[in-house]
Amino acid sequence: MPVGLLFVATVTAYAPDCAGCSGVMASGAPADAGLPTVATSKAWPMGACVDVLGADGTWQQYEVADRLGKRQRARKGSHQHLDVLVSSTEAAVQHGVQQLLAQRVECTCPV
């Protein structure tokens, strides 16, 4: 994804305690839901940032620190799939699947 490109992303959520999760992200950092991180396909470099326009109308910036699971990578358009790290499995289920406007940006989030 080039910097500045706007696209419609499929945005899901996952928790550090999800089934099959190790608690460690692909970047090697612990899965800490206090950080604004996202899992993406390998089309996105580690450390890249993406702004997502939430359903509430505000932009949130996330840093790529994890990778999508095997089933998610197999889907067509996986480069436009963002899996946001949240605090609990309950929060991930509540988030559901959303189609949201997103944009690859220069990083400004403190990580």
Side-chain angles (χ1 to χ4, degrees), residues 19-104:
C21 294
S22 67
V24 177
M25 295 184 288
S27 65
D32 180 324
L35 298 175
T37 58
V38 65
T40 63
S41 72
K42 290 183 180 179
W44 290 78
M46 284 289 179
C49 287
V50 58
D51 282 354
V52 177
L53 182 60
D56 64 356
T58 61
W59 288 93
Q60 169 70 49
Q61 188 169 110
Y62 298 93
E63 182 175 0
V64 175
D66 209 354
R67 294 294 180 214
L68 295 173
K70 187 176 183 177
R71 288 186 308 167
Q72 294 164 319
R73 287 191 315 265
R75 293 185 186 133
K76 183 178 178 182
S78 67
H79 63 284
Q80 294 175 330
H81 185 168
L82 306 173
D83 204 15
V84 176
L85 181 62
V86 296
S87 60
S88 67
T89 300
E90 181 179 302
V93 170
Q94 187 176 24
H95 182 280
V97 178
Q98 301 178 35
Q99 299 295 317
L100 300 172
L101 189 62
Q103 181 177 28
R104 168 100 187 262

